Amino acid sequence: MFYPTPNSIALAIPAHALGAMEDLPPIDAHRTQTVTSLLAEKSSIIDSPKYAAEILFSKPAPFLRARINYEFSTHNITEAELDFAADFGRFPYRPSTLFLKLFHNVLSTLQRDPLSGRCSPSLIGSSGVIPLTIVSTIPDIMQHYYHCIVNAKREVLLATNYWEKGHSVSIIGKALRDLSQRAQQENRVVIFKLMIDHPMKENVAHFHSILPPHKWSHFDIPTPDEIPNVSLEVNNYHRLIMGTFHSKFMVVDRRIALLNSNNIQDRPNLEMMAHYEGDIVNSFYDTFLISWWLPFQPNLVCLNDEPLANNYQFQFGTKYPDIVPFKEPLEHAIARARLRLRNHLDIEQTEIYFNEPLLALPSAESPLTKHLNLAAKSASKTEPDENLTKQELDKLANDFTPFIFHKPHQPFPIALVNRLPHGAPGHLDVANPQDGAWLGAMRYAEKLIFIQSPTLNAKPAIEGIFEACQRGVQVIVWLDLGFNDLKEGHGTFQGGTNEHVIKKLYKKLRREYAGKEKFLEVYWYTGKDQTRPLNFSQKKRNCHIKFMAIDGQVAIMGNGNMDSQSWFHSQEINTMIDSAQIVKDWMDALYTNQSTHQYGKVDLDGIWRDEEGHLNPHDGK
């Protein structure tokens, strides 16, 4: 048995559940076959991921949820269990002890439901490399999506929550048309599967519904006659009532995976995207199959691909072959960053001008502000903060580094820590890999927890932060001022607004552990060209990044927020990495590409004031 059963559990767990673990297959039984591998057998009987999953894995055991929740907070992990976790994952070497503790939490949730992470268990622990990260606005990330799509050879799997008409959707539409044109010239067809969450009447009867081609134009999706050499299929997925498909990722040719915080929409947000290669891509691939659930029509073409060899030489930096040029360089530092993306993949644009002279700008216009304003119409007329001089704005523009090219590195341990959708109302469902990893992070951190999220109001997150501060662990939290206040307020039973939660958290620390409030540092997101936080309601400068770093060694990034919806209901996709170097790169990028740490800090009463003690005029209460 994976866990011992302490006698004290009897007080918290129903008696009929105490021995239930004996009746379940051990986690060890899930080491081999996957939904992907079973579908690859091309059996005439197994025609869908749904059927493959039902054959391979036991049904969920809801009564074990309370037991797993209890042991998250009470069980002391043994060395034998750490060894088991290290051996279970497809890791290139033994991960750090911190990573293994969190991964142990992840594995424990599989006994309740082997597919609680929407990934075949044997693929959850894996490895890979990250050549590129983007911390910038949505257009920069969508531009990378465009270039990965148009260079696809056989297959693209794209998943997003919101698919809203606008510039971002237009970029994907152009990518589809350009991909079709390339494929036509080369006499080939590319399979393209798109998943969105746009609840319709069809979702009442079936959570998954295929969107017929005659409705594509309603969503600005190219019609079949516009993309004759792309075989497109669109799956609309929503698990009623609250099981939102909140996932945002893409897999190209089963060789590249992009995981990002943004949806395919236009918002004035700072976002984060990481580009993965290696065995972890197979995990993303399996997750997409399970999420799709229905038969593929036509079927996928990368199902039988062989995994990359252990000695595969990944490419990094400017020689990295899967990144192609941007057509228009931006000014100053942004131009330098984008020019680094130029390389030899696109034959017609191979000339690289790394010393290209930068464009001169009217001295009244900040290139940084111009770049940030392009993200959405609502931000288009935003001015840089009046307290910043032209010289200061120029320096900020030169510092802004949207594209992070990581130094060459070998594959390192990565786990896919997702959560399944849970449609029923209520705040109980934390027995899943995502929540298990987050809870483990807050329990096992020894020095520092760093969190950036648009929102924070999930009870387990708040309690985890409180307990970490009580232990003397420094907790740094970057949030958005006023983000979705109407949806997150008490009347919606989501847990309250960011301001309410932070004030309450500081008050509780002062009351119960006087002096421990110094271990909590909270900041409101502040845009790179601002000196004070702007309220979300202004729609000028927001941050939508979802990120957690623990002790400088482990980080979790992806789709999940620190709010009740992400903790308890939505389907989320996240990676947990074990690399001090990448964690440092990510932290440096977050600090560099915003001014949150300089101007966003709130006082120990949870209220933000400027240097003169004035409250923010848009939220001062």
Side-chain angles (χ1 to χ4, degrees):
M1 189 184 300
F2 192 57
Y3 284 116
T5 306
N7 294 332
S8 57
I9 289 183
L11 298 176
I13 309 299
H16 70 273
L18 289 176
M21 303 293 276
E22 303 289 353
D23 300 325
L24 295 175
I27 295 176
D28 213 30
H30 300 307
R31 282 180 184 261
T32 53
Q33 266 199 311
T34 67
V35 168
T36 302
S37 64
L38 191 55
L39 281 174
E41 294 179 2
K42 297 184 178 178
S43 165
S44 60
I45 300 175
I46 304 170
D47 65 346
S48 68
K50 173 182 182 292
Y51 196 17
E54 290 173 347
I55 290 174
L56 289 174
F57 305 117
S58 57
K59 293 183 178 179
F63 54 83
L64 288 177
R65 181 185 296 146
R67 176 178 182 156
I68 293 171
N69 295 352
Y70 181 88
E71 293 192 351
F72 274 159
S73 61
T74 61
H75 178 68
N76 294 317
I77 301 173
T78 66
E79 284 298 322
E81 289 168 341
L82 292 179
D83 292 343
F84 179 88
D87 186 53
F88 188 91
R90 301 149 61 111
F91 304 128
Y93 51 82
R94 185 182 177 92
S96 67
T97 299
L98 174 62
F99 182 92
L100 288 177
K101 287 180 177 179
L102 274 57
F103 190 57
H104 172 273
N105 264 21
V106 168
L107 292 181
S108 71
T109 68
L110 305 184
Q111 291 183 299
R112 171 222 164 189
D113 181 355
L115 289 181
S116 60
R118 278 300 180 260
C119 182
S120 298
S122 65
L123 291 173
I124 290 178
S126 188
S127 67
V129 298
I130 304 177
L132 170 71
T133 298
I134 298 177
V135 176
S136 189
T137 55
I138 297 176
D140 283 340
I141 293 173
M142 298 318 302
Q143 196 69 37
H144 187 58
Y145 261 66
Y146 169 85
H147 288 301
C148 289
I149 290 171
V150 297
N151 284 284
K153 303 304 180 187
R154 297 187 294 156
E155 186 177 275
V156 179
L157 313 179
L158 194 162
T160 187
N161 174 214
Y162 289 109
W163 175 279
E164 293 179 351
K165 291 182 179 181
H167 181 63
S168 295
V169 163
S170 296
I171 290 176
I172 301 301
K174 184 178 188 304
L176 282 163
R177 294 180 181 94
D178 291 351
L179 173 60
S180 181
Q181 185 176 3
R182 284 193 180 190
Q184 189 174 38
Q185 292 169 353
E186 299 168 5
N187 194 27
R188 58 188 172 92
V189 174
V190 179
I191 301 295
F192 199 116
K193 307 295 182 182
L194 171 63
M195 288 192 69
I196 62 175
D197 184 333
H198 188 87
M200 302 174 72
K201 61 182 181 180
E202 289 83 0
N203 295 114
V204 175
H206 304 285
F207 299 142
H208 300 79
S209 62
I210 299 300
L211 190 69
H214 71 267
K215 291 187 177 181
W216 292 358
S217 61
H218 302 164
F219 296 83
D220 274 4
I221 298 172
T223 55
D225 60 310
E226 296 178 86
I227 48 173
N229 284 65
V230 172
S231 180
L232 176 63
E233 190 175 19
V234 183
N235 189 338
N236 185 26
Y237 176 34
H238 184 86
R239 189 176 183 89
L240 298 173
I241 303 173
M242 301 179 69
T244 302
F245 182 68
H246 198 238
S247 308
K248 315 133 192 330
F249 69 105
M250 182 170 73
V251 182
V252 179
D253 291 333
R254 206 172 165 183
R255 288 293 181 263
I256 292 172
L258 307 183
L259 177 63
N260 41 283
S261 58
N262 63 284
N263 301 299
I264 308 221
Q265 58 184 174
D266 300 339
R267 292 289 187 276
N269 296 344
L270 191 72
E271 305 275 4
M272 181 175 183
M273 184 221 78
H275 179 126
Y276 296 83
E277 295 195 16
D279 189 44
I280 189 64
V281 177
N282 295 313
S283 308
F284 280 102
Y285 195 83
D286 195 74
T287 289
F288 189 95
L289 268 58
I290 295 169
S291 302
W292 188 273
W293 207 239
L294 302 177
F296 291 101
Q297 297 177 348
N299 204 2
L300 303 178
V301 294
C302 293
L303 278 170
N304 294 101
D305 282 9
E306 293 294 326
L308 295 176
N310 291 332
N311 60 352
Y312 183 83
Q313 295 298 308
F314 295 98
Q315 300 296 317
F316 296 86
T318 57
K319 295 182 180 179
Y320 176 53
D322 289 310
I323 304 173
V324 296
F326 291 92
K327 290 184 177 179
E328 298 293 335
L330 294 178
E331 303 88 352
H332 297 298
I334 300 165
R336 295 187 183 95
R338 283 197 164 184
L339 286 171
R340 289 196 66 190
L341 288 172
R342 295 178 181 252
N343 66 30
H344 59 274
L345 214 171
D346 193 324
I347 298 174
E348 296 180 357
Q349 302 183 50
T350 55
E351 295 184 0
I352 307 173
Y353 301 103
F354 288 104
N355 297 317
E356 182 176 320
L358 300 176
L359 301 176
L361 289 173
S363 55
E365 186 175 14
S366 163
L368 173 63
T369 297
K370 179 181 178 182
H371 186 64
L372 296 176
N373 286 356
L374 290 174
K377 290 182 180 179
S378 63
S380 61
K381 296 183 180 180
T382 303
E383 297 289 339
D385 194 286
E386 60 185 10
N387 295 317
L388 294 170
T389 65
K390 181 186 180 301
Q391 291 73 23
E392 289 172 325
L393 283 169
D394 287 344
K395 183 180 185 306
L396 291 173
N398 287 326
D399 289 343
F400 189 67
T401 310
F403 305 99
I404 299 92
F405 295 87
H406 301 286
K407 295 178 182 178
H409 52 268
Q410 294 299 311
F412 54 80
I414 304 177
L416 207 56
V417 291
N418 308 335
R419 68 150 292 132
L420 74 172
H422 182 74
H427 295 169
L428 299 173
D429 186 32
V430 297
N432 57 77
Q434 170 192 267
D435 296 1
W438 282 343
L439 289 167
M442 295 177 184
R443 182 181 180 191
Y444 298 116
E446 296 180 354
K447 301 174 184 176
L448 174 67
I449 300 172
F450 174 91
I451 296 171
Q452 181 150 35
S453 172
T455 45
L456 167 67
N457 59 22
K459 186 177 179 181
I462 297 169
E463 291 177 345
I465 292 171
F466 177 83
E467 291 167 4
C469 292
Q470 183 267 328
R471 298 197 313 271
V473 175
Q474 195 74 35
V475 181
I476 300 174
V477 183
W478 292 5
L479 303 170
D480 276 25
L481 177 63
F483 196 95
N484 275 355
D485 275 2
L486 293 178
K487 294 182 179 179
E488 304 292 345
H490 282 296
T492 61
F493 303 100
Q494 294 302 298
T497 66
N498 287 338
E499 288 182 272
H500 170 83
V501 167
I502 293 307
K503 291 175 184 176
K504 188 175 180 180
L505 187 51
Y506 272 119
K507 183 177 180 180
K508 184 177 180 181
L509 280 168
R510 288 195 306 272
R511 182 179 68 246
E512 299 185 21
Y513 296 98
K516 296 293 186 180
E517 66 272 15
K518 68 182 180 182
F519 291 106
L520 176 61
E521 296 182 22
V522 177
Y523 298 74
W524 299 135
Y525 168 72
T526 306
K528 185 70 173 174
D529 62 345
Q530 304 296 316
T531 65
R532 61 177 57 231
L534 298 179
N535 196 286
F536 170 81
S537 61
Q538 299 179 61
K539 296 184 169 69
K540 293 181 177 180
R541 294 285 184 268
N542 307 326
C543 187
H544 197 239
I545 290 170
K546 306 96 163 39
F547 179 84
M548 178 188 290
I550 310 98
D551 289 348
Q553 178 63 40
V554 174
I556 303 169
M557 65 81 61
N559 307 158
N561 302 313
M562 290 289 119
D563 59 20
S564 296
Q565 179 65 32
S566 285
W567 271 82
F568 302 117
H569 296 289
S570 297
Q571 175 167 325
E572 309 286 4
I573 313 293
N574 311 278
T575 57
M576 179 172 72
I577 73 163
D578 191 29
S579 168
Q581 180 57 55
I582 300 298
V583 172
K584 181 181 184 303
D585 289 349
W586 282 350
M587 290 293 295
D588 288 347
L590 293 178
Y591 273 81
T592 297
N593 290 342
Q594 52 191 301
S595 294
T596 303
H597 67 291
Q598 293 175 285
Y599 303 111
K601 190 174 184 180
V602 307
D603 292 335
L604 294 182
D605 58 0
I607 298 175
W608 184 92
R609 300 171 178 86
D610 66 17
E611 293 180 353
E612 299 178 355
H614 300 142
L615 299 175
N616 189 307
H618 298 289
D619 76 321
K621 295 182 176 68

